[in-house]
Amino acid sequence: MRDEDDILRLIAADPWMMAVLDAARRLELPDCWIGAGFVRGKVWDHLHGFTQATPLDDIDVLYFQTADTSPAAEQAIEERLHQVLPGQPWSVKNQARMHLRNGDQPYSGTVDAMRHWLETPTCVAVRLNAAGQLELAAPHGIGDLVNLTVRPTPAGQRRKQAYRERLENKNWLQNWPKTHAIWP
């Protein structure tokens, strides 16, 4: 696993991931991506030689819409996703409101919001575009992801305690024992 194309080929070969991506694409949400553990877990499972996927706590559907930033709008989208592809742990978050939770300036879009997440290998997302082609977004690059390194982003450096708590609570180092962490 060397580059973004390798990651996209890995995802394209997974029928379940493609069904999830298609379900999100069908809703035509603005600036919509599926990120975090959806991509990170797939890559790390592959790099560990796992034959079974590590279960996901949720499927992080990210979009950016300033017109309605209410949690109720996110819930309505989750309900629509459950209709399109039932039985999945959908978690929908409008990134146009997440700056408030994180104490940041307003974000300009979904990828900009991802730049403010706490650890580099989580700052990755994928989508099916309108033409049905896979696209990958990784505002901090894919180096740490493919090298099994958990490193704080600049936001993680500023919010060191939150970064450390995520490392301790997510069990990444136990679930994927070849990973290693940088502790600020």
Side-chain angles (χ1 to χ4, degrees), residues 121-138:
T122 300
C123 299
V124 62
V126 65
R127 70 177 171 192
L128 269 177
N129 64 24
Q133 298 169 323
L134 286 172
E135 296 178 351
L136 189 77

Side-chain angles (χ1 to χ4, degrees), residues 11-163:
I11 292 168
D14 186 317
W16 174 77
M17 291 184 88
M18 294 302 291
V20 167
L21 289 162
D22 184 58
R25 181 178 61 97
R26 285 203 231 161
L27 298 189
E28 299 180 347
L29 299 170
D31 198 11
C32 183
W33 298 82
I34 298 180
F38 184 76
V39 177
R40 184 194 60 237
K42 180 66 174 179
V43 170
W44 285 358
D45 284 351
H46 174 76
L47 292 172
H48 278 77
F50 295 170
T51 57
Q52 295 287 342
T54 301
L56 291 173
D57 294 331
D58 54 24
I59 298 169
D60 293 298
V61 177
L62 320 164
Y63 72 104
F64 194 88
Q65 182 177 56
T66 57
D68 185 353
T69 59
S70 70
E74 296 169 351
Q75 182 62 38
I77 293 167
E78 281 183 23
E79 291 170 11
R80 289 173 55 202
L81 283 165
H82 281 292
Q83 292 171 354
V84 174
L85 190 61
Q88 304 304 317
W90 298 109
S91 175
V92 176
K93 295 288 183 278
N94 184 353
Q95 300 302 295
R97 73 176 182 88
M98 299 310 288
H99 69 285
L100 298 171
R101 182 183 81 174
N102 297 329
D104 295 327
Q105 294 297 312
Y107 305 137
S108 62
T110 300
V111 176
D112 183 43
M114 289 169 46
R115 185 175 286 108
H116 293 85
W117 292 356
L118 297 179
E119 60 280 336
T120 55
T122 300
C123 299
V124 62
V126 65
R127 70 177 171 192
L128 269 177
N129 64 24
Q133 298 169 323
L134 286 172
E135 296 178 351
L136 189 77
H140 294 287
I142 62 163
D144 285 344
L145 175 65
V146 300
N147 290 307
L148 301 163
T149 302
V150 182
R151 179 188 320 272
T153 64
Q157 288 285 356
R158 282 191 314 275
R159 298 175 50 214
K160 289 177 181 158
Q161 185 61 34
Y163 170 82

Side-chain angles (χ1 to χ4, degrees), residues 161-173:
Q161 185 61 34
Y163 170 82
R164 288 182 185 127
E165 287 173 6
R166 279 183 58 82
L167 273 178
E168 292 167 2
N169 295 332
K170 292 291 186 175
N171 293 318
W172 294 325
L173 304 178

